[in-house]
Amino acid sequence: MTRRAGRLLLAVPLLLAAAACRQSAAAPRVAREPRDIILVTIDTLRADAVGFDGNPRGTTPNLDGFAAEGRVFTQAHSHNVITLPSHTNILTGMLPYQHGVRENAGFRLSPKIPTAATRLKAQGYATGAFVGAYVLDSRYGLAHDFDVYDELYRHLDEQFEFDIQQARAEDVVKAALDWYRAQAGKPRFLWVHLYDPHAPYEPPQQYRDRFPDDFYLGEVAYADAALAPLLAAVREAQPAPLVVVTGDHGEARGDHGELTHGLFCYESTLHVPLFEWCPDLVKPGRDDVPARHIDILPTILDALGAAPVPELTGQSLLTEGRKEAEAGSYFEALSAAFNRGWAPLRGLAARGDKYIDLPIPEVYNLPSDPGEVKNLVPEGPDALRRLRKRLLELPAAPSERGTIGSEEAAKLKSLGYLTGSAEMKVAYGPADDPKTLIVVDQTLHHVMELYERGQCADALPIARKVVAENPKMKLGYMHLAMIKRCQGDLRGVLRAFEAAAAAGAGGESVDRQRAMALSETGRPGEAVSVLLPYKLSDEPETLNALGIALADSGRPAEALPVFARVIEIDPSNAVAYQNTGIALLKLDRIEEARQNLEASLRLGKRHARAWNALGVAWTHLGDPKKAIDAWEHCLEINPEQYDALYNIGRVAGQMKDWKKARAALEKFVAMAPPKQYGKDIAEVHAVLADMKRQGL
């Protein structure tokens, strides 16, 4: 992650800060005994998906029970419609233009900005976070001052795959509950993030059976059921904990033409469920006064009797007679601007009116038009002038973000965040408005759906058309390359990235992936030439790619310091340890190679290339049984690791285990692609024929 995002940190407008200070200072503070704080965030949770906000289908009985005893905020809103910025708002109590995290990639929260963990740790709290998906990975900065920041998904999936990088809700909750119980006897701050309702909707079978017509609701119901053990433990704690439950954003589900989220800021993605529970402090009932995500941290601090924090512009939701914040609720959606070059979306909602600032501006009166059907701008309402003026007083959208790593991009694509990178313009017109371009968004989703179903041949002409019609949109080339890779066409992958560079849609992320394709097609020297201009990059993925190209071009000794720099930047980078081990093998430093490969596998056990290389190391170290075990682990993870099949056949033959050798070699000749393995396939055919003649 680049450090450029740090330059985006902006001061809070004095007008808003002063208003917040006066409001906070007026609220009396009462010294209170320490109590546990439990924050639960459920990804992609629409307000109308939960029972306590009116869903009649029994989706959330466990949460409904707590909500009935607590306070439900019926008009709660997020400030962003994607995961990382939204959680940053919640945990810092700051708006996105204050903390500087504006998108799911290319931004990192500065360690200088205190979070809820920072503030509670200073008061003697044990702090634990248990997150369900890569989009909240510790690399993005939210981990600082958590004693434990648990990322189960890091151990579940092979790097550089497009599989979903997430942990299921029941596993996240189990880990969180184990930690919570282990910290008994001290005040505890526990944040649990469940990712499951996010697309694609794949609930466990029993929830598919319960909601056969709506797998999204099945995911919501599953998340609720997974929380039951934690909620039961929380109910037994004394003094009663403060429990806050919310969604980070909603899901459009076709509203206004948007299929998922991240593009628009209509109520289907901006309006979120929110309730607080604490029998000692919270007056039960329903609260129709607008609430915001930035109000959550002031509420937590109020529950502890802590002094008000001047830089937090939110207000405690524990306040009796609370009124709507004078500043209203700011919101933004910048993903399409960063990823596609479309117009950035910003807006304000206050006193029932909502202004969306786009080239084709929109104003809605939510009490009379909750579905946001009638745009009032043509009528020139007072709300348009009032809210536009207020929005112009706030800092503008940023003009740049950091670069995106290939691993990062692959994982975020797997999560449905269609990440690319685009130049932001000085000015935008109606042709750049996301409303105008909604068909392109729908087409990109269609390409991803076909890819996920393995229908790459069907996706290819659509991806080509997107590129032809949007030649400056880097994301289109990334999709095209993804489809080409799905088809095993590495030269097609390379051509896609070369076309992007030629069209002016290049940059570090494209050059990195172009270089990786060059290495894969046997041209590592050219890959080195492409990447050398980025040798001082702070991006671990760029440096990993440069190191791989150096090692593949016969320069493994030069690759080692490159991989060492990756580990310095990101000590948890399993791929860098893997690559270091492979380079050391090429230098015949076998024991050092083994140590690095095992370090890689301790960080993430599903690294097929590390298992394959470890097998080679054990062969050199004279332990063929451990070597075969390693290669079999490799094939369990990725049956298309043909080198592992070849190696098992060769080493098993040396051990005179003819049955294992024959099975592996027969699979190799049946599965390995002739373009890459033609010479080896011919050799193995001859070996198999010889084995047959000898009756082995």
Side-chain angles (χ1 to χ4, degrees):
M1 188 63 58
T2 183
R3 293 192 179 93
R4 267 188 280 172
R7 292 207 294 264
L8 298 172
L9 182 60
L10 299 169
V12 182
L14 293 177
L15 179 64
L16 295 182
C21 289
R22 287 196 299 273
Q23 195 171 47
S24 298
R29 297 291 168 186
V30 178
R32 294 174 174 136
E33 63 178 318
R35 66 181 68 247
D36 293 345
I37 306 294
I38 314 296
L39 171 64
V40 176
T41 58
I42 303 176
D43 218 289
T44 322
L45 188 63
R46 280 177 65 114
D48 61 8
V50 297
F52 60 86
D53 262 343
N55 190 288
R57 299 190 61 181
T59 51
T60 53
N62 294 295
L63 291 174
D64 293 348
F66 269 69
E69 300 169 10
R71 195 153 193 84
V72 175
F73 299 91
T74 64
Q75 298 300 317
H77 286 81
S78 61
H79 309 284
N80 292 83
V81 288
I82 52 175
T83 300
L84 178 63
S86 192
H87 280 90
T88 308
N89 303 333
I90 292 169
L91 288 170
T92 65
M94 301 173 77
L95 290 163
Y97 57 75
Q98 296 172 306
H99 57 63
V101 178
R102 315 300 285 269
E103 224 273 292
N104 280 335
F107 293 95
R108 179 183 175 90
L109 180 67
S110 167
K112 296 179 181 179
I113 296 180
T115 66
T118 308
R119 299 185 188 281
L120 294 178
K121 191 176 180 68
Q123 298 197 36
Y125 273 70
T127 56
F130 296 80
V131 300
Y134 174 83
V135 74
L136 294 177
D137 194 85
S138 53
R139 69 186 296 162
Y140 297 121
L142 293 182
H144 67 260
D145 293 314
F146 278 104
D147 300 328
V148 172
Y149 195 88
D150 192 275
E151 302 160 294
L152 284 173
Y153 53 84
R154 280 195 176 219
H155 304 284
L156 298 178
D157 294 297
E158 164 79 305
Q159 304 295 309
F160 295 103
E161 287 182 349
F162 288 99
D163 293 336
I164 294 297
Q165 298 286 314
Q166 70 172 102
R168 298 297 293 194
E170 61 197 284
D171 297 322
V172 176
V173 171
K174 181 182 183 305
L177 186 53
D178 288 347
W179 177 87
Y180 183 70
R181 287 172 171 157
Q183 306 305 311
K186 62 185 84 168
R188 298 164 284 191
F189 170 47
L190 172 62
W191 167 36
V192 178
H193 163 255
L194 303 186
Y195 180 75
D196 297 80
H198 197 288
Y201 315 127
E202 298 173 341
Q205 189 60 49
Q206 74 179 94
Y207 297 95
R208 292 171 180 249
D209 295 341
R210 277 183 57 192
F211 298 92
D213 60 328
D214 196 333
F215 284 180
Y216 170 74
L217 291 184
E219 292 264 40
V220 172
Y222 166 62
D224 176 83
L227 284 167
L230 175 63
L231 295 174
V234 164
R235 191 179 284 280
E236 295 172 1
Q238 292 297 327
L242 172 68
V243 177
V244 179
V245 177
T246 190
D248 63 339
H249 54 74
E251 186 79 315
R253 309 191 73 195
D255 180 44
H256 290 265
E258 185 175 18
L259 299 176
T260 53
H261 59 270
L263 188 64
F264 295 136
C265 283
Y266 297 113
E267 291 297 281
S268 53
T269 56
L270 207 63
H271 182 197
V272 291
L274 173 63
F275 76 79
E276 59 187 18
W277 176 93
C278 183
D280 298 349
L281 294 176
V282 173
K283 182 179 179 181
R286 300 181 71 78
D287 189 327
D288 297 331
V289 178
R292 305 161 298 173
H293 273 164
I294 60 166
D295 297 329
I296 290 175
L297 182 53
T299 302
I300 290 171
L301 297 176
D302 191 9
L304 306 182
V309 179
E311 63 264 30
L312 299 185
T313 59
Q315 57 182 354
S316 171
L317 300 176
L318 297 175
T319 304
E320 289 286 337
R322 183 180 63 88
K323 299 184 183 303
E324 179 179 359
E326 184 179 339
S329 186
Y330 171 85
F331 56 85
E332 67 180 31
L334 303 182
S335 296
F338 286 125
N339 298 340
R340 309 175 189 183
W342 300 358
L345 185 159
R346 301 166 71 236
L348 276 173
R351 306 208 307 253
D353 293 316
K354 181 175 177 181
Y355 169 58
I356 301 172
D357 183 47
L358 279 170
I360 305 171
E362 299 165 75
V363 170
Y364 300 100
N365 181 261
L366 296 179
S368 63
D369 182 18
E372 296 163 291
V373 174
K374 185 179 181 183
N375 183 3
L376 299 175
V377 166
E379 300 175 12
D382 177 65
L384 174 61
R385 177 193 57 78
R386 174 171 49 87
L387 294 176
R388 177 183 280 167
K389 179 178 182 295
R390 191 178 295 177
L391 186 65
L392 288 172
E393 294 170 351
L394 303 180
S399 60
E400 64 173 285
R401 70 162 172 200
T403 56
I404 301 168
S406 55
E407 176 187 349
E408 185 178 2
K411 288 181 176 179
L412 291 172
K413 282 179 186 175
S414 79
L415 301 177
Y417 296 108
L418 306 177
T419 309
S421 184
E423 295 289 332
M424 293 188 74
K425 301 179 182 179
V426 175
Y428 297 88
D432 303 308
D433 193 300
K435 295 187 291 294
T436 305
L437 297 161
I438 186 63
V439 174
V440 178
D441 181 72
Q442 293 167 347
T443 304
L444 289 169
H445 276 87
H446 185 44
V447 170
M448 281 298 296
E449 288 168 1
L450 290 170
Y451 166 79
E452 287 164 358
R453 294 201 295 264
Q455 297 173 239
C456 294
D458 295 331
L460 182 58
I462 304 171
R464 281 176 170 157
K465 185 179 179 185
V466 169
V467 166
E469 294 178 351
N470 304 271
K472 297 291 185 183
M473 188 173 73
K474 189 177 299 188
L475 185 59
Y477 296 98
M478 289 186 166
H479 277 65
L480 179 58
M482 178 184 70
I483 298 302
K484 285 291 187 180
R485 183 172 290 279
C486 167
Q487 295 181 312
D489 182 1
L490 294 181
R491 295 187 185 280
V493 172
L494 179 57
R495 285 195 297 271
F497 289 122
E498 288 175 339
E508 182 173 344
S509 59
V510 164
D511 283 344
R512 175 177 53 251
Q513 297 193 60
R514 177 160 62 104
M516 291 172 71
L518 283 166
S519 288
E520 289 180 273
T521 52
R523 297 156 65 184
E526 294 175 63
V528 172
S529 298
V530 170
L531 290 175
L532 274 177
Y534 303 106
K535 64 183 179 181
L536 299 180
S537 171
D538 286 337
E539 279 301 318
E541 287 76 20
T542 298
L543 296 173
N544 265 325
L546 173 58
I548 290 169
L550 286 166
D552 287 350
S553 60
R555 301 158 67 180
E558 294 177 58
L560 290 177
V562 178
F563 296 138
R565 184 150 176 266
V566 175
I567 293 167
E568 181 184 351
I569 294 169
D570 179 9
S572 303
N573 197 299
V575 175
Y577 284 102
Q578 169 187 276
N579 292 337
T580 300
I582 293 170
L584 288 166
L585 281 178
K586 294 181 178 185
L587 292 166
D588 291 325
R589 293 161 60 178
I590 308 302
E591 177 56 25
E592 293 173 77
R594 180 192 66 77
Q595 292 172 10
N596 277 273
L597 293 166
E598 290 184 343
S600 171
L601 293 168
R602 282 194 296 273
L603 291 166
K605 294 185 178 180
R606 290 181 59 84
H607 294 274
R609 291 180 67 233
W611 280 113
N612 185 49
L614 183 60
V616 175
W618 279 121
T619 302
H620 285 289
L621 291 168
D623 196 330
K625 185 179 183 305
K626 284 187 177 178
I628 289 176
D629 286 345
W631 290 322
E632 287 176 341
H633 273 297
C634 172
L635 291 167
E636 285 173 12
I637 297 164
N638 184 358
E640 296 179 358
Q641 282 283 340
Y642 309 113
D643 290 342
L645 277 172
Y646 178 89
N647 290 337
I648 289 173
R650 182 173 58 85
V651 173
Q654 292 170 357
M655 297 171 68
K656 301 191 185 310
D657 185 346
W658 305 116
K659 182 179 178 181
K660 187 183 288 284
R662 186 172 57 252
L665 294 175
E666 286 174 348
K667 270 190 181 179
F668 176 79
V669 297
M671 296 174 60
K675 280 186 179 179
Q676 291 173 260
Y677 292 91
K679 185 177 177 182
D680 297 315
I681 290 170
E683 173 200 320
V684 171
H685 270 302
V687 170
L688 286 170
D690 190 49
M691 289 173 67
K692 186 175 182 181
R693 280 194 300 272
Q694 297 182 54
L696 299 176

